[in-house]
Amino acid sequence: AQRVTQPEKLLSVFKGAPVELKCNYSYSGSPELFWYVQYSRQRLQLLLRHISRESIKGFTADLNKGETSFHLKKPFAQEEDSAMYYCALKGGGSNYKLTFGKGTLLTVNP
Amino acid sequence: EAGVAQSPRYKIIEKRQSVAFWCNPISGHATLYWYQQILGQGPKLLIQFQNNGVVDDSQLPKDRFSAERLKGVDSTLKIQPAKLEDSAVYLCASSPSLAGSPLHFGNGTRLTVT
């Protein structure tokens, strides 16, 4: 079975402060990890994926297989980063099922 | 490219009534997904199609939910009869292939069952 845990439902920081959204996963094989974001009144969209190893909008995430984590980080938060963030895991096998965590609502205060 | 289209955007029905949602994926995307997102939770996969075949429907409540993708393009999700706990946003997503990423989501249909 595959499971994604986001321990924080809410996270509030001030503009310019560092931000870290936590994600832990459970999966027996080699997973593919993603972060999806949903801004107010917009559809759910991909933010980044671990195999790309790229920075999107200043966000980075590193897959730590030892700790089974894929935390999302940004050194200096901006007000426009306020959104709902979902960590997701895609397993292998026959269906490549994508499982989401419950999400973390990030609020960046001015 | 045109995104994933869903209709209706909102639907209010009484319990025990029936409802249907429609999804048009991105052109050429072979894989189509229906997710249920209850308020305060992450999206939960209901059913996954590869072309017109079902790949995964393990979390679909088959006594009341059904879905089809007859021609491997558009898809409909039906609930009959609806229960109060079915109130949620129903999201459709598509991707180029099973292993292909990422998923592209529609705006969703917000269902309220009273």
Side-chain angles (χ1 to χ4, degrees), chain A residues 37-48:
Chain A
V37 61
Q38 188 166 26
Y39 301 102
S40 179
R41 302 183 187 280
Q42 295 187 27
R43 61 184 69 191
L44 195 59
Q45 59 187 285
L46 178 72
L47 180 62
L48 54 80

Side-chain angles (χ1 to χ4, degrees), chain A residues 48-93:
Chain A
L48 54 80
R49 50 195 293 197
H50 90 270
I51 61 173
S52 299
R53 301 187 66 82
E54 57 189 347
S55 173
I56 305 293
K57 299 185 178 183
F59 284 97
T60 59
D62 291 317
L63 179 60
N64 185 324
K65 292 187 177 181
E67 296 183 357
T68 60
S69 68
F70 188 57
H71 302 328
L72 183 67
K73 300 177 183 179
K74 185 170 183 177
F76 307 104
Q78 302 300 314
E79 290 181 65
E80 55 265 31
D81 296 327
S82 296
M84 195 74 181
Y85 291 81
Y86 295 96
C87 183
L89 179 155
K90 180 174 256 193

Side-chain angles (χ1 to χ4, degrees), chain B residues 21-99:
Chain B
F21 313 127
W22 174 82
C23 173
N24 188 351
I26 291 173
S27 178
H29 280 195
T31 312
L32 185 146
Y33 311 76
W34 283 102
Y35 280 85
Q36 179 193 57
Q37 186 171 20
I38 293 173
L39 187 64
Q41 299 183 22
K44 182 184 87 170
L45 180 67
L46 292 176
I47 189 167
Q48 179 178 340
F49 292 94
Q50 176 69 5
N51 296 311
N52 61 350
V54 175
V55 175
D56 188 319
D57 63 357
S58 57
Q59 298 190 95
L60 186 73
K62 298 180 185 64
D63 58 332
R64 298 183 300 105
F65 285 65
S66 64
E68 60 184 14
R69 193 184 183 200
L70 292 176
K71 297 183 179 178
V73 182
D74 293 7
S75 177
T76 56
L77 175 69
K78 296 179 181 178
I79 307 175
Q80 181 180 12
K83 293 185 175 182
L84 295 177
E85 58 261 36
D86 298 332
S87 294
V89 176
Y90 290 85
L91 296 168
C92 180
S94 69
S95 67
S97 63
L98 268 180

